[in-house]
Amino acid sequence: MTASEKLIDHLHLGSQSAAVIHDPSNIFYLTEGYSGEGLVYISAKKRVIITDFRYTEQAEKQAPDFRTVMTDKDNPHNRRLAELCREDGITELRFESNYLSVDTFESLRTAVGEEVSYVPLKYAPQALRQIKTPAETVTMRKAAQITSEAFDAILGKIRPGMTEKELQIELDFTMYRLGAEALAFDTIIASGENGSLCHAIPGQRRLEKGDMITMDFGAKVGGYCSDMTRTVALGQPSPEMLKVYNTVLRAQTMCKAALAAGKNCFDIDKLARDYIDSQGYAGRFGHGLGHCVGIDIHEDPRLSPSCHETLKAGMVITVEPGVYIPGLGGVRIEDTCLVKENGCESLTTAPRELVIL
Ligand code: ZN
Ligand code: ZN
């Protein structure tokens, strides 16, 4: 079943209903590959990409199962959409109320007409995206592999005196050289006391002996992201930071071992949180344990104290506990994992034992 067929099935779209998609990640998913601008119309009768001259050839190549309709000066996107709705006799149009601005929605409604009823899609495409197909899994494994290999390659390049920014550039370049088509997100490098900043922006701080260095990075391959974090030591770390490292590693190992279909997101998060608290770091693990990954770097469900969803086989989710101590530093270890019936497969294959450079 194609992704667009899954959507029709999931929504029980009747012959007089259609869906219009604006979110680029949903468009990529539902067309199985179109990455240009425009919008997508899906009904029981038609699969159409509405776009302008710049993207028509690309759309035909990337989404051969979809018809491409070109806009022009007199026929902008919404007029083309209205034509399709008329041809199909549509009386109900599903749309992404979470994504469209009020202005965009108003102009859409003006073009298509007041007689049509407008029903929110309520994250239906995102719900389908949660479960990865075998083909998506193959792509994500490749993205994770490049990320793991980049970590291996970067270890030989970390030197005292280089700045965080220089390390970021090396790491990004290495991912591209290994086959990344893009970066999944802006690489985070946090060294020494900057390590307590979970989302540190790499700056001009120079690496020193005794630093712990946290690197959070990911490659994008075939439109899918990977996400991994490793903290390494430049020279022998302090006993205090060693204890932090071992606590985070133990928490991560426990959670990966517990990850499986049927488990509750809240419970997995609690496992890490309780253990970290018990080691004397209560309040030092201030973010969720993980998030799903796919076309977007952050997808639902999340491993967090506020998520009570059940994990399903085929979800790809990160496990990333961390401990952050202002003035001292921080440690985070993150793997991207594929949830299976009886456990999980870590798509990230890089070693997790502390590397002392
Ligand atoms: Zn990350
Ligand atoms: Zn992450």
Side-chain angles (χ1 to χ4, degrees):
M1 208 189 260
T2 65
S4 58
E5 285 166 348
K6 280 182 196 165
L7 184 75
I8 290 172
D9 192 58
H10 180 86
L11 294 171
H12 306 292
L13 271 194
S15 60
Q16 290 183 303
S17 299
V20 58
I21 310 293
H22 290 77
D23 179 338
S25 298
N26 286 340
I27 287 177
F28 182 86
Y29 172 75
L30 291 165
T31 60
E32 297 177 22
Y34 176 57
S35 59
E37 290 181 12
L39 52 87
V40 158
Y41 172 89
I42 294 172
S43 74
K45 296 170 205 145
K46 292 189 182 74
R47 314 285 138 89
V48 181
I49 295 169
I50 303 171
T51 190
D52 65 80
F53 172 80
R54 295 170 300 160
Y55 296 102
T56 48
E57 188 182 348
Q58 181 184 339
E60 281 158 12
K61 281 191 180 138
Q62 290 181 328
D65 291 348
F66 279 65
R67 201 176 106 206
T68 302
V69 168
M70 191 164 80
T71 60
D72 58 45
K73 155 169 92 46
D74 301 318
N75 296 285
H77 293 80
N78 285 339
R79 188 167 297 180
R80 290 297 193 209
L81 174 66
E83 283 168 11
L84 292 168
C85 289
R86 260 199 313 279
E87 282 170 25
D88 277 355
I90 295 304
T91 57
E92 181 193 74
L93 189 58
R94 309 282 184 108
F95 73 106
E96 295 160 307
S97 58
N98 64 300
Y99 186 81
L100 262 58
S101 72
V102 175
D103 284 358
T104 309
F105 176 69
E106 285 304 333
S107 54
L108 187 153
R109 186 162 62 177
T110 304
V112 177
E114 296 287 341
E115 63 284 3
V116 171
S117 60
Y118 297 86
V119 181
L121 270 165
K122 291 195 177 145
Y123 299 93
Q126 284 88 338
L128 296 173
R129 282 166 50 193
Q130 287 184 3
I131 310 296
K132 272 64 182 178
T133 63
E136 287 177 303
T137 307
V138 168
T139 305
M140 293 194 72
R141 197 176 278 118
K142 225 178 276 171
Q145 193 55 38
I146 286 171
T147 311
S148 293
E149 283 173 25
F151 173 69
D152 194 46
I154 202 71
L155 291 177
K157 304 217 163 141
I158 300 175
R159 300 264 181 278
M162 81 192 292
T163 65
E164 292 175 341
K165 193 75 198 166
E166 285 163 352
L167 177 53
Q168 178 200 12
I169 292 164
E170 276 294 341
L171 189 47
D172 291 354
F173 176 77
T174 305
M175 283 192 277
Y176 280 117
R177 189 169 49 76
L178 290 169
E181 65 190 22
L183 303 178
F185 55 93
D186 288 343
T187 297
I188 295 166
I189 307 282
S191 64
E193 66 280 1
N194 286 348
S196 63
L197 305 162
C198 312
H199 275 193
I201 299 162
Q204 295 308 314
R205 186 185 182 280
R206 292 187 186 277
L207 308 182
E208 296 167 16
K209 279 268 177 202
D211 277 354
M212 298 282 264
I213 306 159
T214 296
M215 297 175 277
D216 188 349
F217 56 105
K220 204 166 195 182
V221 173
Y224 288 80
C225 301
S226 69
D227 192 1
M228 121 176 211
T229 308
R230 288 293 181 271
T231 301
V232 300
L234 190 55
Q236 188 61 36
S238 66
E240 211 171 354
M241 286 307 290
L242 264 183
K243 188 191 165 202
V244 171
Y245 192 93
N246 289 329
T247 304
V248 173
L249 178 59
R250 180 90 196 277
Q252 210 240 7
T253 305
M254 271 166 25
C255 292
K256 279 174 75 177
L259 208 61
K263 296 285 184 74
N264 192 284
C265 289
F266 173 91
D267 292 335
I268 306 278
D269 176 273
K270 191 172 182 319
L271 210 55
R273 213 159 290 284
D274 287 352
Y275 176 70
I276 287 171
D277 287 0
S278 76
Q279 297 303 300
Y281 301 114
R284 300 296 183 202
F285 171 35
H287 56 75
L289 177 70
H291 53 87
C292 278
V293 192
I295 296 164
D296 290 328
I297 185 65
H298 294 127
E299 298 184 354
D300 288 333
R302 317 271 168 150
L303 299 175
S304 90
S306 57
C307 182
H308 293 269
E309 285 181 51
T310 302
L311 292 168
K312 296 192 187 100
M315 286 180 171
V316 175
I317 199 157
T318 68
V319 179
E320 50 178 308
V323 168
Y324 312 92
I325 304 173
L328 188 64
V331 172
R332 180 166 65 252
I333 303 173
E334 173 180 30
D335 289 329
T336 299
C337 301
L338 170 66
V339 178
K340 299 194 159 184
E341 287 303 339
N342 298 311
C344 80
E345 173 197 339
S346 187
L347 303 183
T348 311
T349 53
R352 296 173 306 135
E353 295 72 35
L354 179 60
V355 174
I356 301 177
L357 298 165

